[in-house]
Amino acid sequence: MENIGKPTSSEARTALDDIDRVQRAVRDTPWPVWLYPVNALLVGAIALTPLLGDVGRVVALLTLAFATIAVNVITGYRMGTPWALPTSRGFLASVALSAAFVVVALAFADPPLPAWALVLLAVAAATTYSIGSFVHYRSTRR
């Protein structure tokens, strides 16, 4: 076993800076443009599942959730970044807000919200995701 010695503080700092730079580069890899609208449509569709009957709602929800995960993981593997979350705070905030709209739509399925309220929640979820997509697109394609 070879002993390479203890690194100096400047070498350690440089190595840590390189790690941060590489992680940021991976997290800021541009996504394919088609992925943004596909995700927005899937998020909106998930928010609309309470409009279906009891059995259809569960099947549709599971199918759409699986499709969302599959599309993103497969695309991530093809890009080489399957589990990396973007660094864009604007994108992450809009995704969280979009998820909140979906959760409200799903949480108030029983007792059911009026159909117009569910449609508004679905539109809000898709719109906020789309705004975040624009922010992410702009931040990764400078």
Side-chain angles (χ1 to χ4, degrees):
M1 191 140 110
E2 185 178 318
N3 188 356
I4 58 172
K6 194 174 181 183
T8 66
S9 62
S10 118
E11 290 172 338
R13 191 173 19 266
T14 302
L16 290 174
D17 288 343
D18 287 343
I19 290 170
D20 184 52
R21 183 184 50 76
V22 169
Q23 284 181 342
R24 199 170 232 354
V26 167
R27 293 178 65 193
D28 288 339
T29 300
W31 291 2
V33 175
W34 62 266
L35 187 59
Y36 300 115
V38 168
N39 279 336
L41 289 173
L42 287 169
V43 164
I46 290 172
L48 289 175
T49 56
L51 292 175
L52 302 173
D54 288 338
V55 175
R57 178 186 319 156
V58 173
V59 171
L61 180 61
L62 291 176
T63 302
L64 289 167
F66 177 75
T68 303
I69 292 167
V71 163
N72 285 283
V73 170
I74 291 169
T75 303
Y77 270 111
R78 288 186 177 176
M79 292 172 39
T81 58
W83 305 109
L85 289 175
T87 58
S88 170
R89 289 183 180 160
F91 175 72
L92 295 174
S94 71
V95 168
L97 184 58
S98 178
F101 286 127
V102 171
V103 167
V104 168
L106 296 176
F108 292 106
D110 287 320
L113 284 174
W116 63 266
L118 289 172
V119 171
L120 282 178
L121 286 168
V123 168
T127 302
T128 54
Y129 185 88
S130 297
I131 291 168
S133 297
F134 180 75
V135 169
H136 182 256
Y137 179 85
R138 294 286 306 225
S139 72
T140 59
R141 286 176 173 76
R142 294 182 207 167

